[in-house]
Amino acid sequence: MCYINNYIKIGKVTRYNQSGQLTQTIQHDNTGQILYSGPIYITENNNGDVVVSDYGYGSGAVVVTERGGRHCFSYRGRPSGSGLRPRGICTDALSHILVCDGRTKTVQMLDKDGQFLSHLLTKSQEMGEPRSLSYDVNTHRLWVGSRHNNKVCVYRYITRQDALTDEHIPRLDEEAMFSSTSAVEWR
């Protein structure tokens, strides 16, 4: 769970067991520096890393810690440090990190170590501003929700074979769906 104190602009990530008891708090890096100022979305990668979309106040980042809470990296945009307004975040079957960026209005793909791989969706593809993400591990489809135009787009960029062999070349196929209502239409 992400927690933000808006008055002092400090955030933390907390983990609870099935009984609702607090089991872990992640708030500082190894040197005692605050990791989060505005955590808004959270997911866990296949390797157990905790991946957080930290909107921040001034500069946003994708902040990744390993399962035990040790800070691994913070991604702040491409080129390095160019700025990021991270929103929806998820990971895929190959442990890639996918994040919506409100600044560039794109969905960016990072590897599990925080290296930029590609843009999966750009504003030229009729999406508006991507805001939310969900990856379906059964169909290998990425569901992307738009902020302004009430569309949900569904993309497949990983094939079943890619997932089985743990390899792929980032790509989009023609299987995209768009919707402006609750029903999803093939386009």
Side-chain angles (χ1 to χ4, degrees), residues 38-42 52-55 62 84-90 98-108 121-123 126-135 142-153 155:
I40 54 175
Y41 293 94
I42 187 170
V52 175
S53 173
D54 185 29
Y55 185 72
V62 172
L84 187 71
R85 277 193 310 206
R87 296 291 201 234
I89 197 161
C90 67
L98 308 168
V99 61
C100 294
D101 179 12
R103 188 181 67 75
T104 60
K105 297 178 176 44
T106 61
V107 174
Q108 297 183 26
L121 186 65
T122 63
K123 54 186 175 178
E126 300 181 31
M127 185 59 198
E129 181 180 336
R131 179 54 72 98
S132 56
L133 296 173
S134 181
Y135 180 79
L142 178 68
W143 293 70
V144 184
S146 176
R147 176 179 180 199
H148 297 295
N149 60 11
N150 297 324
K151 288 188 179 183
V152 173
C153 300
Y155 292 96

Side-chain angles (χ1 to χ4, degrees), residues 5 9 25-26 29 69 72 81 95 121 132 145 151 164-165:
N5 183 325
K9 310 294 189 237
T25 299
I26 304 171
D29 68 11
C72 298
S95 297
L121 186 65
S132 56
K151 288 188 179 183
L164 292 173
T165 61

Side-chain angles (χ1 to χ4, degrees), residues 47-66:
N47 60 5
D49 286 351
V50 178
V51 182
V52 175
S53 173
D54 185 29
Y55 185 72
Y57 296 91
S59 69
V62 172
V63 180
V64 177
T65 58
E66 53 93 30

Side-chain angles (χ1 to χ4, degrees), residues 4 19 30 62 70 94 98 117 124 134 154 160 164 180-181 183:
I4 307 168
S19 303
N30 322 6
V62 172
R70 185 185 59 81
L94 301 177
L98 308 168
L117 295 177
S124 65
S134 181
V154 180
R160 184 173 186 279
L164 292 173
S180 57
T181 65

Side-chain angles (χ1 to χ4, degrees), residues 2-27:
C2 297
Y3 169 80
I4 307 168
N5 183 325
N6 282 322
Y7 295 106
I8 56 176
K9 310 294 189 237
I10 294 176
K12 64 183 172 182
V13 170
T14 54
R15 190 181 299 230
Y16 299 85
N17 64 19
Q18 291 181 344
S19 303
Q21 296 173 314
L22 178 67
T23 60
Q24 183 182 33
T25 299
I26 304 171
Q27 188 171 12

Side-chain angles (χ1 to χ4, degrees), residues 22 33 41 56 60 91 95 106 111 141 146 150 158 167 177:
L22 178 67
Q33 295 294 310
Y41 293 94
T91 59
S95 297
T106 61
D111 70 13
R141 290 188 172 138
S146 176
N150 297 324
I158 293 177
E167 296 177 5
M177 295 186 287

